[in-house]
Amino acid sequence: MVNEDIINALKKEFSSSLKDGEERKIVIWNDLEREFEDIIDQIQIDGVKVHKLTGNNNFYTKYLIEEQDPTTNYLIYNPIKITDERDNWLIDMFLYSSQFYADKISLLMRELNVSNSLRELFKKYKSFFNAIERRKKLSKLIDRIDTEEQLELSILAVLSGSKTIEFEEILRNVLMVSLEEEENKKYLDIKKYGLEDAFWEYVRKRYGFNLPNRTLKEFFIYLISTVLANYINEEKLNKIGKYIGKNKPNCVIFIDHWMNHVNDAKVYENLANEYEKEVDIAEIISRLDVNDYKDIDILKIFDKQIITYIVDSLENDLEDYDGYIELIKSRRAKHFYEKYENIYEALLNVIEMYKFHKKYKLGIPQTSVDKMFKQYVEEFYKMDMNYRKFCYYYDRQPESNILNRLNKLVENLYVNWYLTELGVNWTNAIDEQMKTKWSIIDVVNQRDFYKTYVKPRISKGERIFVIISDALRYEIGVEIAEKLNERVIGSTNIHAMLSSVPTITKLGMASLLPNETIEIKDDGKVCVDGIDSSGLENRNKILKKNFENSIAVDYHKLPKNKEEFLEALKGYKLIYIYHDTIDATADSGATEVYTIETIEKAIKEILDLVHKITNWLGGVNIYITADHGFIYQRKDLEESDKIDKEIANYIDRSRRSIISKENKDIDGVVKINMSYLLNNQGYYAYMPKSNIRFKIQGEGAKFVHGGLSLQEIVIPVIEFKNIRSTSKDAIKSEKAKIKLINESRKITNSIFTLNFFQTEKISEKVTPAIYEIYMRDENNNIISNIETIIADLENEKPEQRVIKVRLVLKAMEYDKSKKYYLVIKDKDKGLISEEIPFNINLGIISDFEF
């Protein structure tokens, strides 16, 4: 009985399209082992005649096919092995006809659409094809197999679990399992099915690996070493010289694609760690100059060395601060930056502090109070912000030895120099008029907040939201304003206001309310227009006395869901929202250690609150301010940082201030006549100079307020106006664009540099952007490494906004008549911004390199 599979296979042959020059189908069924000789006569296919070769009827067969019956489809059964082609009358017919085999191998080849010319190679790997599941996987990878390479790569792809027959993916999948062959299931399968030699031959051809010790570990060492030699002079890498190959481009691209693969990068990082230990790369790099490796990112050791280099330089008073910043910023686009981001960001803040110190190495100048106030608002506050930011990044990685080294530098610079230098000069600048009037020309005093900012708006019928955040220091306000401006361009302005002194909560909160008179009672209570100003109930009374349609609420008691939030604030035209996150945590000895973490939390809460006000309530006008600022340091205080109080009778006291009716002069203490604020006379505020604290029992001396340091008295007024995108006042922002400025569109070297120009500097209207740069062919195959450009340059001069990128092309044959494309891709959006056509003419690539 004829096998149905055979009949179906024959029918498929005869139903296939005619080739060029064919007028009918002639199929030669080769059955040299005569397995089907007894059933050939049973074959019946419509429109097809069956003819058998006997070994003696070749000439007749030729006559039959070409003369007697030249139009009928024929199945010619051939059980004869042709040994002498010179006397074979049918040689031409064998060449133009289709060949058919019906043995198991042939049926499998036909099932998988493998060319008959690969029969011998297919037989070599026949054990692989025994499993149906493996055959199914292979058939999904490729429609037809015509070459030895396609067949071998298809098998390797199945065994390695690859989704394509690209050898790069196959190799990566194998290496990811393990570099130890006996532990690598995929590599063991490659050996099991007889493809070990083929696998290594492809490794040799693609990547030039030809070391006698043919192992996965040796190959991985070879890969990394060869890539290193692409960037570092080989003479400086002589310790690993035997691992450096010639085919650097393909090795570079292989590692680059693996390192930047979304799912596979972690495995690469683990193997790269093993490489570092295996070859003791740290010893090699220690002998190099930082410029030798500043652009390399295939190993995390380079980031560690760069960080160490900068910290060593800071410790040794080497002042190339702009160079350090440029070096750090160049690492942001590198692979391991994220791993060391906290250290890098901490470093940036430390370097900025050192730049400030260099600028004022001869001392922060003591000038008039108005000039020093202005300088703080424009520049000096950044030292407080840099210190806070350093502490924030330090806290995220406190176990880092390098950060602990930095911490010593920072505490010395900030506490021992800046706080003391600025504090002494500022308090010395406070003259007698200031001690009496407590005002600075052109600066709004806190007691005038309501009449300056709020009253004019509500008088016009506008709805106003006031967020008062306890201890929101000026530099924190700057950060909030910057973040708000990122959300809505041109929406936010920040002003500096002079806080009431002493900078304690009850005075600051009272000053921010509408007021005609402010009084302090002998029990320490502060009254506004005769009403106790403490607590929400009393503050509501004070607000409503001045503007009926108003309300004071506690941020922490506001509803979390939209409906209840809307209901709680519905109908009110003036809403005071009291936010107490920073002071509630930091102003306590038990919890002041969480100050920095709490500030970050407070910033997020305020930004979230603004979002709710604008999006849920449709609020347009929002003010964010504070009752006072604060001084904060991590370093333990010395005894010299504290002084004893010499006033026995006081109404209020803290580590930074005393309020008393006594009128006396005390060394090291500034006395302010509080008649500038209070309606009742005869009260004086005593505050230590600089950042000194009064001695008080108990913990809580690192976070303090109450004094008159610039950090305590300069408070922010953030004026946010929710500008709709459709408004004529709305400023449309766009991402920074880059433009290729190389004139030539021809590539003649596999390693080449491209110059890009950031067309505009970063501003309110132009925001930073991240782009990926790479080359592709006409089939969208990536043929180079992928480089990242962070377009965030703020330089005014165009020549300072040029960004260089080095690309490496795969070692392969390039057709100089075809187009290849430079791709500029917006990384955040995942969209291609531009594709620029190039011609590639690399000349002749030697076999050894290729």
Side-chain angles (χ1 to χ4, degrees), residues 690-729:
S690 187
N691 58 325
I692 304 298
R693 278 77 158 163
F694 285 130
K695 286 185 178 179
I696 289 181
Q697 290 296 320
E699 298 178 314
K702 294 180 179 179
F703 175 97
V704 291
H705 60 86
L708 43 60
S709 70
L710 285 163
Q711 290 88 347
E712 294 165 288
I713 65 163
V714 181
I715 52 176
V717 177
I718 303 166
E719 190 174 4
F720 176 82
K721 189 172 184 65
N722 186 30
I723 304 172
R724 304 292 183 187
S725 59
T726 54
S727 169
K728 61 182 177 64
D729 296 324

Side-chain angles (χ1 to χ4, degrees), residues 438-671:
W438 193 248
S439 63
I440 297 175
I441 189 169
D442 295 329
V443 177
V444 175
N445 199 297
Q446 189 179 41
R447 64 179 178 267
D448 296 324
F449 168 78
Y450 182 85
K451 71 178 182 182
T452 302
Y453 295 106
V454 179
K455 190 174 181 179
R457 289 287 182 85
I458 58 173
S459 298
K460 295 177 183 178
E462 297 180 37
R463 193 183 192 192
I464 304 297
F465 295 84
V466 178
I467 301 170
I468 301 173
S469 184
D470 201 327
L472 189 74
R473 191 161 69 174
Y474 181 77
E475 54 92 4
I476 304 170
V478 171
E479 182 174 342
I480 291 172
E482 288 173 350
K483 290 182 183 296
L484 287 173
N485 245 335
E486 288 172 7
R487 291 185 181 183
V488 186
I489 304 302
S491 63
T492 311
N493 291 307
I494 183 167
H495 313 282
M497 189 162 62
L498 178 63
S499 170
S500 300
V501 288
T503 48
I504 55 177
T505 298
K506 56 188 174 184
L507 280 180
M509 293 298 183
S511 298
L512 292 169
L513 289 163
N515 63 84
E516 292 296 329
T517 62
I518 298 176
E519 295 178 304
I520 190 166
K521 302 297 184 183
D522 288 344
D523 60 3
K525 289 182 180 179
V526 178
C527 296
V528 173
D529 298 339
I531 303 171
D532 182 1
S533 62
S534 63
L536 278 180
E537 184 178 346
N538 290 328
R539 291 171 188 172
N540 263 304
K541 291 178 183 177
I542 296 167
L543 283 173
K544 289 182 181 298
K545 183 178 179 181
N546 287 270
F547 187 74
E548 179 60 32
N549 196 8
S550 61
I551 188 173
V553 295
D554 183 344
Y555 162 81
H556 299 282
K557 293 180 181 179
L558 279 172
K560 302 300 180 187
N561 67 72
K562 183 176 180 179
E563 290 73 20
E564 292 179 11
F565 187 90
L566 289 170
E567 188 61 32
L569 303 179
K570 180 178 167 184
Y572 293 105
K573 283 289 220 177
L574 174 60
I575 298 101
Y576 265 50
I577 303 174
Y578 289 91
H579 173 261
D580 185 11
T581 293
I582 298 173
D583 205 60
T585 299
D587 200 16
S588 166
T591 55
E592 70 176 2
V593 67
Y594 304 113
T595 296
I596 302 300
E597 177 185 334
T598 301
I599 291 169
E600 292 298 316
K601 179 184 177 184
I603 291 171
K604 291 176 182 175
E605 289 175 348
I606 291 171
L607 292 173
D608 178 66
L609 178 56
V610 171
H611 174 79
K612 288 176 178 175
I613 291 171
T614 55
N615 285 40
W616 290 3
L617 290 170
V620 173
N621 301 300
I622 303 172
Y623 289 97
I624 304 166
T625 190
D627 52 348
H628 55 74
F630 60 86
I631 297 175
Y632 176 74
Q633 67 182 66
R634 284 287 178 84
K635 184 181 177 184
D636 290 334
L637 275 78
E638 308 288 342
E639 277 303 306
S640 58
D641 296 327
K642 305 172 186 176
I643 61 173
D644 286 319
K645 298 188 294 292
E646 298 180 20
I647 297 176
N649 300 313
Y650 54 81
I651 293 169
D652 186 273
R653 68 170 181 172
S654 71
R655 291 188 186 275
R656 288 285 289 160
S657 66
I658 298 171
I659 299 176
S660 174
K661 288 186 176 181
E662 289 187 30
N663 181 6
K664 59 195 297 188
D665 295 324
I666 305 172
D667 288 342
V669 174
V670 177
K671 179 180 67 177

Side-chain angles (χ1 to χ4, degrees), residues 733-763:
S733 66
E734 59 179 22
K735 283 189 171 184
K737 293 183 176 62
I738 57 173
K739 178 182 178 182
L740 179 69
I741 56 178
N742 297 64
E743 292 184 5
S744 174
R745 295 295 182 265
K746 184 176 182 180
I747 299 171
T748 58
N749 198 311
S750 62
I751 302 174
F752 58 99
T753 299
L754 297 174
N755 296 319
F756 293 87
F757 173 57
Q758 183 181 309
T759 56
E760 295 182 80
K761 72 181 185 72
I762 299 302
S763 65

Side-chain angles (χ1 to χ4, degrees), residues 231 290-298 302 306 326-327 330-331 334 787 804 806:
Y231 300 101
V290 70
N291 290 313
D292 290 327
Y293 55 80
K294 65 183 178 66
D295 296 321
I296 310 176
D297 68 341
I298 64 171
F302 296 114
I306 286 168
E326 184 179 346
L327 186 54
S330 73
R331 300 303 296 178
K334 305 301 182 184
E787 286 292 331
K804 294 182 181 294
R806 188 164 89 152

Side-chain angles (χ1 to χ4, degrees), residues 233-252:
N233 190 311
E234 287 189 34
E235 292 179 1
K236 298 180 180 182
L237 300 173
N238 56 0
K239 186 177 178 181
I240 53 173
K242 73 172 185 176
Y243 292 109
I244 296 173
K246 296 289 184 183
N247 196 336
K248 295 183 179 74
N250 279 9
C251 293
V252 168

